[in-house]
Amino acid sequence: MEAEIQQQIQQLRQQLQQASYAYYVLDAPIVADEVYDRLYRQLQELESDYPELITAESPTQRVGEKPATQFFSIKHNIPLYSLENAFNFEEFAKWQERWQRVARENHQLNLNAEYVCELKIDGSALALTYENGVLVRGATRGDGIAGEEITQNVKTIRSIPLLLNLDNPPPVVEVRGEAFLSLTVFEEINREREKAGEQLFANPRNAAAGTLRQLDSKVVDKRRLDFFAYTLHLDESVGAVPPSPGNEKKTQWESLELLRRMRFKVNPNCQVCYSLDRVREYYEYWDSERRNLPYMTDGVVVKINSVLLQKQLGFTQRFPRWAIALKYPAAEVPTIVQAITVQVGRTGTLTPVAELKPVQLAGTTVSRASLHNSDRVSELNLHIGDTVIVRKAGEIIPEVVRVLAELRPPNAQLFQMPSCCPECAQPVVREKGEAVTRCINTSCPAILRGSLIHFCSRDALDINGVGEKLVQQMVDSNLLNSAADLYDLTAEKLSGLERMGKKLAEKLVSAIAQSKNQPYSRVLYGLGIRHVGSVNAQLLTERFANVEELAAVSAAAIEGVYGIGPEIAQSVYQWFRVPANQSLIARLKTAGLQLQSEVKSQNLANTNLQFAGKTFVLTGTLPTIKRDEAKDLIVKAGGKVTSSVSAKTDYVVVGEDAGSKLEKAQSLSIELLSESELLELLSKP
């Protein structure tokens, strides 16, 4: 009897999944609504009678019964890198030149790669994890390394399958895509909020992001989010076995086709473009046609079609080299430059800022715009008093696009960068080959203030109550000369500051003390090492167990960390060579800050990092150890393991049934190692 019930339940689930796919993904219903409702109720009743037969992929499990109490941060199996932006076609052409140069350096001769162009949906990125074909986790993008786990909310999105349509699914499948609200649904939500006297959402993107963070999945379900899938990972990096026959993907286009087969909704307006001119045609066509779409899009994502070439090009410290977002121009408005001021950042960078006559732009009042550097000012030929055109770069940051020289008043004064720092009056420098001008006085008050504000910021030590004004007061009062001085503050010392009562002072001292519990990665980020963002700090602390280990290794060993480029590696290495920075670390350690990872890793004393700066490729089946185990051994010895062979590869470790990687290694005369030879090298002191 139970076997018959189980078969009946399975049949109902298949019917409902097919009907849901046809309705929400294909937009071609195959059953009437009342038929769907009747089948759904039958399934509900059977599962109610036989709760032991309920499974996670059942259509009845899309909406949770109880609201969540909170969301938890989880690390992504594969980082969600953001995309580099191009704001015109000239910038796009320069991007193509860059990746082609990298390809030439890696001896890739085919530089006429075809592209896949996809509309850039204005929504909220999601990472989906499937195990054996079943959706087990949904997460927000977060900072790219970690996001919030919102699986129950993700399940309410009907265009996301709970079960992949694959006969033999890999153990792990990672899918990336964009959750969004259609314009019709967005308008309906705002009408309902207006009737209820609630604040309206500014745009569909904000509404989608806010919806995904609702604790009650029933609320999320009512808002009818949609989803377009655009990236598929079926590889060893997430523990999956090689794709089974029929699941191989050699191009981005094949990935999109496989996503469709899996029953994901893929944007129908994607296109393969075989040249720069074709990309331009696609971009220009959708510049006007996007206004007829039922959802918001703010640009075109261009990806190199070849998956092999994508792997060979890899990533910079922030972006994939093989993809770029070609954005459409934002709204532009004219205004007048009333003055130009110069700000000094925490790294000493001097940035000219246009003080504008306030103007409305994209829903906000804009009164200031960065001019970036002196080259940009010279390029604009900017005078104080000029009428300029302002827009929001990426629809967020105001920037001056051009000057209307014909409207320039006769007494307008040409702006020139100062020769001395406006904060400390010391001479400034501009290094050869750099566009920026810097103050190099480490005692400059602006550099000190900027470094302290960064150290206390939300993504670093997150010291509540320490803002710009308070930092200014503490620096002026000589209470702070470095970040370590924060931990010497007492309520008595603070009580002399303006508007600082006893209770507030005690609260601030308590917040500073609590910051000692922040993890090692946040402390490293808070140090303000040039080029080291929060994501890179996380990568470094995962590889080097404590700050002493990181300070002792070579630049080559730092560069061996996946995602860390030579510029970042050199910056980190040089930072730890400065005596003042060594003193800062010693004081922070004495104060009790976390300067080691919670996860115990191999100590520097137990390894000579004999593979530091060396790049390895593994191919074929090794006789006694798994490839993942071999990879771990190489990485722990300071080496770097990549998936493709190039002129930069030092060794190729060869097992049985080695394929094209072996042939390429032989053609490039790269040293080949057997498993025993690899282990012998590892055993040498």
Side-chain angles (χ1 to χ4, degrees):
M1 181 65 181
E2 186 170 323
E4 293 178 8
I5 294 297
Q6 192 165 3
Q7 184 178 2
Q8 188 177 354
I9 286 176
Q10 189 61 31
Q11 186 177 18
L12 284 168
R13 286 175 183 166
Q14 289 175 352
Q15 290 173 329
L16 289 167
Q17 286 162 355
Q18 289 172 353
S20 185
Y21 171 68
Y23 184 88
Y24 291 104
V25 178
L26 302 180
D27 195 22
I30 57 175
V31 296
D33 289 349
E34 56 269 23
V35 174
Y36 182 93
D37 292 341
R38 180 165 50 81
L39 294 173
Y40 188 88
R41 282 196 300 272
Q42 287 180 17
L43 178 59
Q44 272 186 319
E45 290 169 0
L46 285 172
E47 289 182 341
S48 176
D49 293 338
Y50 299 89
E52 69 277 9
L53 299 180
I54 297 175
T55 58
E57 71 273 18
S58 174
T60 63
Q61 302 304 299
R62 284 196 176 271
V63 182
E65 289 299 319
K66 296 180 180 179
T69 56
Q70 61 178 315
F71 294 127
F72 296 95
S73 177
I74 54 170
K75 185 179 176 183
H76 295 303
N77 292 325
I78 301 173
L80 271 78
Y81 286 88
S82 56
L83 292 178
E84 181 180 357
N85 289 327
F87 293 101
N88 53 56
F89 214 80
E90 289 69 29
E91 291 181 4
F92 175 78
K94 289 179 181 177
W95 167 79
Q96 178 175 265
E97 291 173 5
R98 288 198 299 274
W99 77 252
Q100 288 180 338
R101 183 173 64 250
V102 173
R104 280 192 209 96
E105 291 172 356
N106 287 317
H107 299 279
Q108 300 301 316
L109 300 180
N110 180 19
L111 302 181
N112 298 316
E114 59 188 39
Y115 297 113
V116 172
C117 290
E118 306 169 27
L119 294 180
K120 187 175 182 299
I121 309 303
D122 203 12
S124 189
L126 292 179
L128 310 178
T129 302
Y130 290 80
E131 293 181 358
N132 299 314
V134 178
L135 177 65
V136 296
R137 191 175 79 175
T140 62
R141 181 184 182 278
D143 63 4
I145 293 294
E148 289 182 315
E149 193 269 322
I150 55 166
T151 308
Q152 196 56 60
N153 287 351
V154 165
K155 285 184 174 184
T156 68
I157 304 175
R158 297 306 202 269
S159 46
I160 293 178
L162 302 181
L163 181 67
L164 298 180
N165 184 40
L166 290 175
D167 293 333
N168 185 25
V172 180
V173 174
E174 289 274 328
V175 175
R176 305 291 158 78
E178 200 82 3
F180 66 96
L181 284 170
S182 71
L183 293 174
T184 302
V185 172
F186 171 70
E187 290 166 2
E188 289 177 7
I189 291 172
N190 263 352
R191 279 198 297 269
E192 291 172 3
R193 293 177 72 84
E194 187 174 20
K195 289 178 183 177
E198 298 174 337
Q199 185 177 354
L200 303 187
F201 286 118
N203 52 58
R205 177 180 53 197
N206 290 358
T211 298
L212 286 169
R213 297 198 75 258
Q214 292 288 322
L215 292 173
D216 190 348
S217 63
K218 293 177 182 177
V219 175
V220 183
D221 186 46
K222 289 179 181 177
R223 291 191 182 169
R224 291 177 286 161
L225 284 166
D226 210 337
F227 180 80
F228 280 129
Y230 51 65
T231 301
L232 174 64
H233 294 284
L234 287 167
D235 55 32
E236 296 169 358
S237 62
V238 291
V241 297
S244 55
N247 293 346
E248 302 89 349
K249 58 182 185 69
K250 297 180 181 179
T251 66
Q252 169 65 10
W253 191 256
E254 290 175 353
S255 292
L256 296 176
E257 289 298 323
L258 183 51
L259 284 167
R260 288 189 179 97
R261 287 216 325 265
M262 291 177 174
R263 289 187 174 166
F264 281 99
K265 189 172 186 176
V266 175
N267 193 280
N269 300 307
C270 305
Q271 182 177 315
V272 177
C273 295
Y274 299 96
S275 67
L276 216 61
D277 289 337
R278 292 292 186 188
V279 173
R280 186 193 295 271
E281 289 174 10
Y282 181 93
Y283 174 74
E284 292 176 348
Y285 173 80
W286 284 107
D287 189 13
S288 57
E289 283 300 310
R290 64 193 174 111
R291 293 168 179 81
N292 298 321
L293 291 169
Y295 44 82
M296 292 285 290
T297 178
D298 60 349
V300 171
V301 175
V302 184
K303 301 174 184 174
I304 291 174
N305 197 19
S306 167
V307 171
L308 176 61
L309 186 51
Q310 288 181 11
K311 290 180 179 178
Q312 290 167 341
L313 290 172
F315 301 82
T316 67
Q317 60 266 32
R318 291 190 296 164
F319 311 119
R321 289 194 178 94
W322 42 267
I324 193 168
L326 186 51
K327 305 293 283 290
Y328 289 116
E332 300 178 347
V333 295
T335 188
I336 295 173
V337 177
Q338 297 177 322
I340 297 177
T341 56
V342 176
Q343 296 179 340
V344 183
R346 63 181 175 85
T347 62
T349 301
L350 271 63
T351 303
V353 177
E355 306 291 342
L356 308 170
K357 183 178 180 180
V359 63
Q360 285 291 312
L361 177 62
T364 61
T365 300
V366 173
S367 58
R368 313 182 84 207
S370 171
L371 296 169
H372 305 295
N373 53 58
S374 57
D375 283 353
R376 180 57 179 158
V377 177
S378 299
E379 182 185 328
L380 290 167
N381 188 27
L382 185 61
H383 291 59
I384 298 171
D386 273 343
T387 298
V388 296
I389 299 298
V390 181
R391 73 178 178 196
K392 285 190 176 180
E395 300 187 359
I396 298 173
I397 304 170
E399 67 173 353
V400 175
V401 180
R402 61 185 180 277
V403 173
L404 302 180
E406 63 275 15
L407 300 180
R408 178 175 294 152
N411 60 343
Q413 183 180 355
L414 180 66
F415 173 78
Q416 292 184 338
M417 287 288 285
S419 58
C420 292
C421 174
E423 290 278 348
C424 67
Q426 295 298 306
V428 295
V429 299
R430 179 174 173 179
E431 299 289 344
K432 187 177 180 180
E434 286 197 356
V436 299
T437 303
R438 296 184 190 279
C439 173
I440 56 173
N441 174 22
T442 55
S443 300
C444 176
I447 296 176
L448 175 59
R449 288 197 307 269
S451 63
L452 288 168
I453 291 167
H454 174 75
F455 187 84
C456 299
S457 65
R458 185 179 62 182
D459 292 338
L461 278 294
D462 193 19
I463 302 178
N464 189 31
V466 181
E468 290 186 32
K469 290 183 179 179
L470 183 57
V471 166
Q472 177 81 56
Q473 280 195 72
M474 291 191 287
V475 170
D476 292 345
S477 303
N478 206 32
L479 288 175
L480 296 181
N481 290 295
S482 81
D485 290 337
L486 284 162
Y487 299 94
D488 293 332
L489 291 174
T490 62
E492 289 73 24
K493 289 181 180 180
L494 291 168
S495 60
L497 298 177
E498 183 182 350
R499 296 183 181 180
M500 183 64 69
K502 182 180 178 181
K503 286 188 177 180
L504 183 57
E506 290 173 348
K507 188 175 180 181
L508 186 60
V509 171
S510 175
I512 293 171
Q514 288 174 14
S515 73
K516 296 179 183 181
N517 298 319
Q518 293 290 2
Y520 173 29
S521 60
R522 281 177 170 256
V523 180
L524 183 63
Y525 171 63
L527 294 175
I529 302 172
R530 195 175 172 201
H531 303 309
V532 176
S534 57
V535 172
N536 294 324
Q538 181 72 42
L539 294 173
L540 289 168
T541 55
E542 288 176 358
R543 174 60 185 86
F544 302 105
N546 53 59
V547 75
E548 290 86 3
E549 184 176 338
L550 178 58
V553 297
S554 65
I558 297 170
E559 189 180 344
V561 178
Y562 179 79
I564 301 295
E567 190 175 22
I568 302 172
Q570 193 62 35
S571 178
V572 173
Y573 177 78
Q574 292 295 344
W575 192 92
F576 281 103
R577 310 277 84 72
V578 177
N581 294 336
Q582 295 169 7
S583 175
L584 173 62
I585 291 295
R587 288 187 63 196
L588 293 176
K589 187 175 182 180
T590 301
L593 273 74
Q594 302 298 315
L595 291 167
Q596 62 182 17
S597 297
E598 293 180 5
V599 180
K600 188 176 180 181
S601 66
Q602 189 175 19
N603 191 281
L604 181 64
N606 297 327
T607 177
N608 293 314
L609 295 179
Q610 59 266 52
F611 289 164
K614 301 297 183 182
T615 301
F616 290 72
V617 172
L618 303 171
T619 182
T621 304
L622 301 179
T624 66
I625 62 174
K626 295 180 180 178
R627 283 171 58 172
D628 282 346
E629 294 172 342
K631 179 179 178 180
D632 286 342
L633 290 171
I634 292 168
V635 170
K636 286 177 180 177
K640 183 177 182 179
V641 179
T642 62
S643 60
S644 58
V645 179
S646 73
K648 294 183 178 180
T649 304
D650 295 293
Y651 299 100
V652 174
V653 182
V654 182
E656 294 181 12
D657 299 322
S660 58
K661 292 179 184 178
L662 172 59
E663 296 173 7
K664 185 167 184 180
Q666 291 170 331
S667 69
L668 294 174
S669 300
I670 293 170
E671 186 171 350
L672 305 178
L673 298 175
S674 64
E675 179 193 292
S676 60
E677 289 170 330
L678 171 67
L679 296 175
E680 184 181 350
L681 282 177
L682 283 164
S683 66
K684 290 181 179 179

